[in-house]
Amino acid sequence: MKKKNRKKLIAYLLLIVFSLMMLFPFYWMVRSSFMSKREIMTVPIQWLPSHVNLDNFRDAFARAPFARYFLNSVVIVLINMAGSILSSSFIAFGFARLKFRGRNIWFALLLSTMMIPQTVLMIPQFLIWQRVGAYNTFIPLTLPCFFGNAFNVFLVRQFYAGIPKDYDEAALVDGANYFTIYWKIILPMSKPVMCTVGVFTFMGTWNDFMGPLLYLDKKNLKTVSLALQNFMGQHNSEWNLLMALATVITLPMITVYFIAQRYFIEGITFSGIKG
């Protein structure tokens, strides 16, 4: 075997081993979700359930109104995805395609906000939202997405910078304004990076625990991450039910990633081509 092929084989074997290590917790969660509590604790380890048992899912959903919690999470996620895609694309268009005084300084200031720890802002933001009467509503969890996120703006700007400006110049000659260029030319060409922003926003919002914990106190407003934590506190020994709920909560993220995988990878790749 040639030295080059031997290196490739070793690299592939290492990748397979590390992939299996990363996937093992997910396998354990899914496997446990179909088992009884006794089967989970069996020694020696039982690697597969004796039969497909859906009772864990039915029992878990019967203990709490998880259908309502799923609906709450879906509503927040959809609003945040729409807000993040619109705001980041619009702001990034200005930084990437327009020339104005102080553009680089403003962009640097925007990026500097990523260095501020979120824990520093929690109490001031909570007091502001409480003062304006937005406590126990979805407003604190959704409205900020319509004002841009520094990382998303940076990602989209990098993608826009790789689009030739000949499109803009041709459209201006034909009498189009900059909003028309943004809406009808640049945005339709930006599906990969828009999918990337959407996937990041979906994952961040779906997994968000601290935000709902701070702003949502009513039971009918809880999200799945917050409801799962509360369920763990009440049923911490019923691992079969916890694994069933964790599996159901994880499936939407996996589904969204695989649906948008091609655009997601393309958006990440092309966003780093040109600065």
Side-chain angles (χ1 to χ4, degrees):
M1 184 182 293
K2 293 182 180 180
K3 186 176 181 181
K4 185 177 181 181
N5 292 336
R6 192 182 301 117
K7 287 182 178 180
K8 278 188 177 181
L9 179 61
I10 294 172
Y12 286 141
L13 288 175
L14 288 174
L15 286 173
I16 291 171
V17 170
F18 283 115
S19 298
L20 291 175
M21 290 173 61
M22 297 294 292
L23 289 171
F24 183 76
F26 178 73
Y27 155 76
W28 195 264
M29 176 184 69
V30 176
R31 159 255 186 203
S32 301
S33 67
F34 292 103
M35 289 182 168
S36 65
K37 187 163 59 174
R38 180 177 295 180
E39 286 179 320
I40 294 174
M41 302 300 177
T42 298
V43 179
I45 296 172
Q46 184 174 333
W47 294 100
L48 294 173
S50 56
H51 63 281
V52 177
N53 183 11
L54 299 178
D55 291 340
N56 293 334
F57 297 91
R58 286 191 287 265
D59 292 346
F61 274 78
R63 302 285 182 93
F66 275 95
R68 175 68 185 183
Y69 303 150
F70 265 89
L71 179 61
N72 292 340
S73 291
V74 168
V75 169
I76 295 173
V77 163
L78 291 178
I79 295 174
N80 281 357
M81 287 178 67
S84 294
I85 290 172
L86 287 173
S87 61
S88 60
S89 62
F90 193 76
I91 297 169
F93 178 83
F95 282 120
R97 316 299 288 190
L98 304 181
K99 291 183 179 180
F100 54 90
R101 182 177 297 178
R103 180 179 67 171
N104 294 333
I105 296 174
W106 284 111
F107 188 64
L109 287 173
L110 175 68
L111 295 183
S112 68
T113 61
M114 291 193 291
M115 294 185 288
I116 303 175
Q118 186 60 33
T119 50
V120 175
L121 304 175
M122 280 183 182
I123 294 177
Q125 288 176 344
F126 175 81
L127 294 175
I128 292 171
W129 288 117
Q130 189 182 44
R131 183 65 61 88
V132 300
Y135 182 69
N136 263 329
T137 69
F138 292 157
I139 294 175
L141 304 176
T142 55
L143 189 61
C145 283
F146 287 88
F147 294 91
N149 173 277
F151 176 76
N152 290 338
V153 171
F154 169 76
L155 195 68
V156 180
R157 177 191 175 275
Q158 295 299 98
F159 187 91
Y160 283 173
I163 299 176
K165 290 194 175 182
D166 296 345
Y167 293 103
D168 304 27
E169 294 169 0
L172 289 171
V173 169
D174 290 340
N177 55 35
Y178 280 108
F179 182 79
T180 303
I181 295 171
Y182 158 74
W183 189 255
K184 293 189 176 181
I185 298 176
I186 302 298
L187 203 58
M189 298 173 64
S190 308
K191 289 181 181 178
V193 75
M194 294 298 104
C195 283
T196 304
V197 171
V199 170
F200 279 139
T201 304
F202 179 91
M203 294 176 66
T205 307
W206 189 263
N207 291 324
D208 185 23
F209 172 74
M210 190 56 66
L213 180 65
L214 282 174
Y215 298 111
L216 303 178
D217 187 46
K218 292 181 180 179
K219 186 176 180 180
N220 64 329
L221 295 178
K222 290 180 180 178
T223 59
V224 288
S225 58
L226 185 58
L228 180 62
Q229 182 65 30
N230 292 341
F231 190 90
M232 288 175 62
Q234 298 171 6
H235 309 278
N236 57 355
S237 62
E238 300 187 63
W239 294 107
N240 52 333
L241 302 185
L242 289 172
M243 293 299 102
L245 283 175
T247 300
V248 173
I249 292 172
T250 306
L251 282 177
M253 288 188 294
I254 297 173
T255 304
V256 168
Y257 176 76
F258 277 106
I259 290 175
Q261 182 181 19
R262 181 169 66 90
Y263 288 115
F264 177 79
I265 295 173
E266 188 177 345
I268 289 291
T269 303
F270 282 100
S271 294
I273 285 180
K274 186 175 180 180

